[in-house]
Amino acid sequence: MELAYIPSPSRGVLYLGPIPLRGYAFCIIIGVFVAVWLGNKRWVARGGRPGTVADIAVWAVPFGLVGGRLYHVITDYELYFSPGRDWVDAFKVWEGGLGIWGAIALGALGAWIGARRRGVAMPAYADAVAPGIAFAQAIGRWGNWFNQELYGHETHLPWALHITSSEGGRVPGYYHPTFLYESLWCVGVGFLVIWADRRFKLGHGRAFALYVAAYCAGRAWIEYMRVDDAHHILGVRLNVWTAVVVFLLAVTYLVLSARRRPGREAVVEPGASDDPDTGEARTDPADGETEAEAEPKDAKADAAKAEKTQKAEKPEPESEPGPETESGPEAEAGVKDTATADSGKKG
């Protein structure tokens, strides 16, 4: 008898009358809201308009769901198109099966379309939403717990996951909770990106690249622990190869981007600086000082300089004891002219 373990839910769906409430779907929805909320806060702090992240997410999220499902169906096609299987099940997203690789790839396409419509640079948007995506993945992985799926090898550790379902070839027992390992790893990735972004002022898509690289590093070793069916290449699971390749691409982008475009974008959304609802002003890539912080300093310096210049140019007041007495030929001529004018007046 195990003294401690992680219990599995007795069922992954509740019914509100005829309406099914699925735990997997709820986890995905909550994750999306967290990603949009945090992404909006980071976007506004970078000088963007409130609501831009949500407007672009309207494009990114549906594309991401379709991409995630496509990747899963393509890489596990035998679950839907082999003899005795019903191909209609390929559309039942609520039963689980979203590949993160396809979700990120096609979700990025949707975000690119939405960003172009808003006139926003895609790399800056990706940097803003990167940690939120990591937290969304952490929440979404709990949907696998509701479905009793994606667990590892058998174990008797105190945090073992107790699988009770025998559907789909499952064998009840105690297994490594790989869904929990990945969830905790994603939380760590999210905080890593936030810290690195503040410390190094990442820009031009490097915060997103850091998220991708860090996630892949964890996904590779977690994937080794899983016992669900998967395609293998050279004896290694397909998702491990995908994680390695994507990791190398992300690191390469980090290095090249830092050399070619150091610093952070000065403007993330054109015209947002004129919007009174925007938060932190644009950041100067050279020293990290925002323009809102720099302008008051410049204004004070200009005012002090103008005051000094005004004092230097202002003439000193001279004492005037009385009317000056002119001398010389010009003075004498002036006296004669005055006398002539007076005599003319008398005549």
Side-chain angles (χ1 to χ4, degrees):
M1 178 179 179
E2 296 290 336
L3 297 179
Y5 59 85
I6 300 174
S8 291
S10 58
R11 53 182 176 172
V13 56
L14 298 175
Y15 287 90
L16 184 61
I19 302 175
L21 304 177
R22 303 181 183 276
Y24 186 89
F26 270 108
C27 291
I28 298 297
I29 293 172
I30 294 172
V32 169
F33 273 104
V34 169
V36 172
W37 170 79
L38 181 57
N40 181 72
K41 286 180 66 68
R42 287 172 52 81
W43 184 254
V44 172
R46 288 283 303 276
R49 287 192 178 96
T52 296
V53 169
D55 291 343
I56 298 177
V58 170
W59 289 86
V61 172
F63 272 72
L65 290 175
V66 173
R69 189 60 176 178
L70 280 176
Y71 182 88
H72 169 73
V73 172
I74 292 173
T75 55
D76 292 304
Y77 61 88
E78 65 278 357
L79 298 177
Y80 308 100
F81 302 105
S82 59
R85 299 283 187 171
D86 187 357
W87 63 271
V88 177
D89 293 340
F91 298 94
K92 298 179 180 179
V93 181
W94 55 86
E95 293 184 353
L98 291 175
I100 186 61
W101 314 113
I104 293 297
L106 214 56
L109 175 61
W112 178 78
I113 296 173
R116 280 185 61 88
R117 292 172 61 89
R118 289 294 298 250
V120 169
M122 181 61 188
Y125 177 82
D127 285 341
V129 300
I133 294 177
F135 292 137
Q137 287 180 253
I139 297 171
R141 274 307 178 199
W142 284 88
N144 302 128
W145 176 70
F146 280 102
N147 288 350
Q148 297 197 38
E149 58 187 2
L150 302 189
Y151 47 87
H153 297 284
E154 189 173 5
T155 182
H156 296 287
L157 292 171
W159 55 84
L161 174 65
H162 187 198
I163 296 297
T164 58
S165 174
S166 57
E167 297 181 2
R170 299 183 184 91
V171 178
Y174 299 89
Y175 301 89
H176 276 286
T178 52
F179 84 91
L180 177 61
Y181 298 160
E182 187 169 339
S183 179
L184 295 176
W185 184 269
C186 288
V187 171
V189 170
F191 283 116
L192 171 65
V193 174
I194 292 175
W195 171 82
D197 193 27
R198 291 178 178 175
R199 174 66 177 81
F200 303 105
K201 298 189 181 301
L202 302 176
H204 303 286
R206 287 189 289 277
F208 185 81
L210 175 62
Y211 145 71
V212 173
Y215 171 74
C216 291
R219 178 63 184 267
W221 67 266
I222 293 173
E223 190 73 22
Y224 267 116
M225 303 180 66
R226 287 169 49 171
V227 295
D228 53 304
D229 293 332
H231 293 284
H232 289 70
I233 300 177
L234 300 178
V236 179
R237 292 170 67 97
L238 174 61
N239 282 333
V240 175
W241 285 108
T242 305
V244 171
V245 172
V246 176
F247 172 83
L248 294 176
L249 292 175
V251 172
T252 301
Y253 179 86
L254 268 171
V255 175
L256 296 180
S257 176
R259 291 179 179 177
R260 295 180 180 180
R261 307 186 70 183
R264 180 184 283 177
E265 297 90 341
V267 178
V268 297
E269 187 170 3
S273 58
D274 300 330
D275 192 341
D277 294 332
T278 54
E280 181 184 342
R282 298 185 299 273
T283 304
D284 185 355
D287 56 8
E289 183 183 61
T290 61
E291 290 184 6
E293 295 170 347
E295 288 177 2
K297 296 179 182 178
D298 294 340
K300 292 179 180 179
D302 292 341
K305 186 177 180 181
E307 185 177 355
K308 290 181 180 179
T309 304
Q310 185 177 4
K311 288 182 179 180
E313 294 179 352
K314 185 177 181 180
E316 295 293 335
E318 299 179 358
S319 59
E320 299 181 359
E324 295 182 359
T325 303
E326 298 182 3
S327 59
E330 295 179 357
E332 294 179 358
V335 172
K336 290 180 181 180
D337 293 341
T338 304
T340 303
D342 291 341
S343 60
K345 288 179 182 180
K346 291 178 181 179

